[in-house]
Amino acid sequence: MSDSLIIQDLYVYPIKSLAGIRLKEATVEERGFELDRRWMLINENGQFLSQRTFPQMALVKVEIEAESLKVFHIASPTDFVRIPIYEEGAKISSVTVWDDEMPARMVSSNADEWFSKILGTHVRLVKMPISTERKVDPRYAVNKESVSFADGMPYLLIGQKSLDDLNSKLDDAVPMDRFRPNIVFSGGDAFSEDSWGKIQIGEVDFQVVKPCARCVMVTVDQTTGDKAAEPLKTLAEFRKEGNKILFGQNMVALSNGIIKVGDKLKLK
């Protein structure tokens, strides 16, 4: 079966909970793809913001330029802000992602003002410096890996057949962007990724460590910002274990390198 598994899509989400970017190739690092969730919006208490409570964040797009991120709302693409990729602010702030508290650097007052205007609430933009080590939950880490501002794990893998299976049960199909994966593969059977352990993509090794528990965020239409009951309602009917609704597999990288759309995925 592994001979028929091909990397179909690669996605990076530079600013946590904003729109993702499809890449032709991606650089694999310990804490996630290069640039993936290295920036994050926080409230005045340092808590992260997400589409769970601000679904309109889905409508804020990010483009990667040579030295910066260009960020704009889809309704007004000429009103944008640029975020330097390689600069770090001088001021350090304590930020929180779920149960993890860590230091981050403030980006700029200009970025804070722009995002606050777009979202209609006072927010600040922070960046995770290399010096910040947010450790993966030791129950799932292989080599004491660190992770970015992602919810908890560096990589999320989903098979296209798994989405096809879900969509066969829905009145209105949903696209893969509802689930915000990093890596999408074609081939194999629906939910075949559930049983995997170590895999190889191109020349890079990964370890599948746990299924991804889904929340209300998958109900946000990424093109409109609207919420509905699906697909979480249907997922709960056939993908619920205990009190968790599972879709996709979390992974850690066992080596670094570059992977590309079209690479073969091999089971090891």
Side-chain angles (χ1 to χ4, degrees):
M1 180 187 70
S2 62
D3 289 341
S4 64
L5 305 174
I6 302 295
I7 300 306
Q8 174 182 303
D9 300 294
L10 299 170
Y11 294 98
V12 65
Y13 309 87
I15 302 177
K16 182 178 176 68
S17 228
L18 299 192
I21 304 168
R22 185 178 187 271
L23 304 176
K24 293 182 179 179
E25 63 178 49
T27 301
V28 176
E29 299 177 345
E30 176 185 313
R31 63 183 69 189
F33 282 147
E34 181 182 26
L35 302 183
D36 190 50
R37 297 171 173 100
R38 301 304 200 270
W39 291 264
M40 178 173 70
L41 291 166
I42 60 171
N43 63 18
E44 292 181 332
N45 297 320
Q47 296 278 346
F48 78 98
L49 271 61
S50 80
Q51 293 180 30
R52 295 170 182 85
T53 50
F54 292 90
Q56 66 268 35
M57 291 174 72
L59 307 183
V60 184
K61 304 294 184 180
V62 182
E63 294 178 353
I64 300 173
E65 299 182 332
E67 301 287 332
S68 63
L69 304 177
K70 180 181 178 181
V71 188
F72 58 93
H73 193 285
I74 60 170
S76 52
T78 58
D79 176 17
F80 58 84
V81 65
R82 281 194 168 94
I83 311 300
I85 290 176
Y86 303 106
E87 291 182 15
E88 294 182 353
K91 185 178 179 183
I92 296 177
S93 180
S94 177
V95 302
T96 304
V97 180
W98 301 117
D99 295 328
D100 296 333
E101 188 173 338
M102 71 217 78
R105 290 193 177 273
M106 308 300 297
V107 173
S108 70
S109 58
N110 179 57
D112 296 346
E113 291 168 7
W114 189 90
F115 281 105
S116 297
K117 178 185 69 174
I118 290 294
L119 295 178
T121 187
H122 181 65
V123 301
R124 295 176 291 166
L125 181 70
V126 297
K127 182 181 182 183
M128 175 179 279
I130 294 297
S131 57
T132 290
E133 289 192 354
R134 178 191 173 209
K135 292 299 183 182
V136 168
D137 186 324
R139 291 176 295 172
Y140 309 115
V142 176
N143 297 308
K144 299 182 179 179
E145 290 87 0
S146 294
V147 62
S148 66
F149 289 136
D151 277 352
M153 301 297 298
Y155 294 94
L156 175 61
L157 173 79
I158 301 178
Q160 180 63 46
K161 289 287 184 66
S162 301
L163 179 63
D164 293 344
D165 186 87
L166 168 61
N167 280 332
S168 73
K169 298 172 172 61
L170 297 173
D171 292 333
D172 298 305
V174 297
M176 187 65 82
D177 63 9
R178 291 292 188 96
F179 302 96
R180 300 175 69 82
N182 296 111
I183 303 170
V184 180
F185 68 92
S186 61
D189 300 322
F191 306 108
S192 57
E193 60 268 31
D194 289 356
S195 63
W196 293 351
K198 190 175 180 181
I199 66 172
Q200 182 178 0
I201 300 174
E203 301 299 321
V204 181
D205 291 334
F206 295 86
Q207 180 74 39
V208 177
V209 293
K210 76 176 202 59
C212 183
R214 311 315 304 219
C215 67
V216 68
M217 199 161 150
V218 304
T219 68
V220 178
D221 187 320
Q222 297 296 295
T223 61
T224 65
D226 295 331
K227 278 185 177 181
E230 296 291 9
L232 200 61
K233 179 176 178 290
T234 295
L235 272 176
E237 295 172 358
F238 75 109
R239 293 290 296 174
K240 192 169 186 178
E241 293 187 15
N243 62 349
K244 294 182 178 179
I245 301 169
L246 308 176
F247 192 81
Q249 292 290 324
N250 289 126
M251 305 191 299
V252 295
L254 302 179
S255 58
N256 294 348
I258 294 176
I259 63 175
K260 302 178 181 180
V261 170
D263 278 350
K264 290 184 177 181
L265 187 158
K266 300 178 181 178
L267 308 185
K268 302 188 74 173

